Amino acid sequence: NALKVACERHLSQQLTAESAFPLLLHADLHSAAMLRENCLRYLAFHSAEVMASTATAWRQFTTSALPELVCEVVSRVVAK
């Protein structure tokens, strides 16, 4: 468990416009709550940068993620 937390912290510090969606998918899949939350926050606060640089990643995310996760990303972006 300590290793998982350390990995979540490290990955959270490496978030970029390109890595946010893939890391969110992995965090959700592996129940990495801290990383999941950090990805959601990153996407909400950097939404313009993320969408400008990675429109393809958004399309891939929306086709591979659970609908609930896509809805959560959209609600976070709208609520910011």
Side-chain angles (χ1 to χ4, degrees), residues 34-47:
M34 179 178 57
L35 179 58
R36 185 180 188 277
E37 180 61 28
N38 287 335
C39 288
L40 288 167
R41 286 182 184 167
Y42 185 92
L43 289 166
F45 289 106
H46 299 92
S47 58

Side-chain angles (χ1 to χ4, degrees), residues 1-8:
N1 199 3
L3 178 59
K4 182 178 177 180
V5 171
C7 290
E8 287 184 67

Side-chain angles (χ1 to χ4, degrees), residues 51-68:
M51 293 309 292
S53 68
T54 60
T56 303
W58 170 249
R59 283 192 294 277
Q60 290 173 342
F61 174 76
T62 58
T63 59
S64 59
L66 294 173
E68 296 83 7

Side-chain angles (χ1 to χ4, degrees), residues 6-52:
C7 290
E8 287 184 67
R9 278 195 197 116
H10 176 75
L11 291 171
S12 294
Q13 293 170 350
Q14 306 302 315
L15 281 169
T16 65
E18 292 78 21
S19 69
F21 285 126
L23 284 174
L24 177 58
L25 284 172
H26 288 293
D28 193 59
L29 178 66
H30 297 289
S31 302
M34 179 178 57
L35 179 58
R36 185 180 188 277
E37 180 61 28
N38 287 335
C39 288
L40 288 167
R41 286 182 184 167
Y42 185 92
L43 289 166
F45 289 106
H46 299 92
S47 58
E49 175 190 347
V50 170
M51 293 309 292

